[in-house]
Amino acid sequence: MIVVATSDFEVYHGVVNELRERGTTFTTVEPDEELPDHTDVVVTGPDHVDDFGAVPTIVADPDAPRRAVDQALAAVRGDGGRTIIGVDPGRNPGIAVLTGETVVAAFQVPLGDAVDLIRREADEAPSPIVRIGNGSRLESAKLVNELDTVRVELVDETGTTPYLGTGTRGMGDVLAAVNIARREGDVVDAREIEPTEGELQVIKDRSREQSEENRAIDELLARRVAAGELTIDEALAEHRDDESESDLEPSDADDGRD
């Protein structure tokens, strides 16, 4: 049983709402009341961290109640162990956060938002591991190279995407991320990828789709996108600036004299 025992309204409100959203069984008591006999873990605020003796106690940050609830659920289920973040790379990576064997959070975000999200999840956990699938070569390389402050493992993602039945459209990347998180990989610090002509052409085609002028970026900009130095929108902006500067240059025939 999870027991919420705090006089901090923000902590109480955040933790209780999070537990209710997950359909978790819990009870609440005042911090000075006796705990129920079947208490497995107490969630409280910083003012009462030492009030519950030998009972496992989790201190909740009022700005991050989800993390406290994740820890409480892991304690109740006996899922001890480190936090592992699985990532199925792509234009919109699937991301799954596991504490022990329990999936405590799942996301699917644009590639440009993925690094910040993964860092935020990793920063809230002790000794986290980020496991990234080795498919989608360019996208996985970008994630590996930008996640330089956390342990990263590159995982063989063969067979991690499950069969999806009726009504499960859109869940494949997240479920693959869960499977990737559960599969050990090789520790990597960086991943250098030389883009193929086909991969560069895909980037050019995507830039044309996103361009208001229906124009594709050149190969140099496409290579910078492939290396993770620019997003397609940033590359398009540079492409427009280069064209504008070229339009302003005087022609050889016009030397400024009458």
Side-chain angles (χ1 to χ4, degrees), residues 191-209:
R191 190 181 193 197
E192 300 301 327
I193 294 292
E194 178 63 26
T196 65
E197 289 302 317
E199 288 168 334
L200 291 174
Q201 188 59 52
V202 168
I203 292 172
K204 292 178 186 179
D205 292 343
R206 284 167 53 193
S207 72
R208 185 183 298 279
E209 292 172 3

Side-chain angles (χ1 to χ4, degrees), residues 1-18:
M1 170 69 75
I2 296 172
V3 177
V4 181
T6 178
S7 56
D8 186 318
F9 175 77
E10 291 186 13
V11 168
Y12 177 90
H13 187 266
V15 170
V16 166
N17 281 349
E18 187 73 27

Side-chain angles (χ1 to χ4, degrees), residues 140-154:
S140 67
K142 173 182 171 64
L143 294 170
V144 168
N145 294 336
E146 292 190 19
L147 291 166
D148 53 1
T149 60
V150 66
R151 175 188 170 109
V152 176
E153 295 180 6
L154 196 62

Side-chain angles (χ1 to χ4, degrees), residues 56-115:
T57 302
I58 294 168
V59 179
D61 182 335
D63 295 324
R66 182 174 69 80
R67 177 57 57 186
V69 171
D70 291 346
Q71 295 171 338
L73 289 172
V76 169
R77 293 168 179 165
D79 293 331
R82 69 202 312 177
T83 293
I84 300 176
I85 302 169
V87 184
D88 183 33
R91 294 174 63 179
N92 295 286
I95 300 169
V97 184
L98 279 66
T99 299
E101 289 298 315
T102 301
V103 180
V104 296
F107 310 91
Q108 185 162 27
V109 297
L111 181 62
D113 298 333
V115 170

Side-chain angles (χ1 to χ4, degrees), residues 207 210-211 215 217 231-240:
S207 72
Q210 293 179 218
S211 168
R215 294 181 181 179
I217 59 177
T231 65
I232 287 183
D233 285 340
E234 291 168 343
L236 283 169
E238 287 203 19
H239 186 62
R240 286 192 292 268

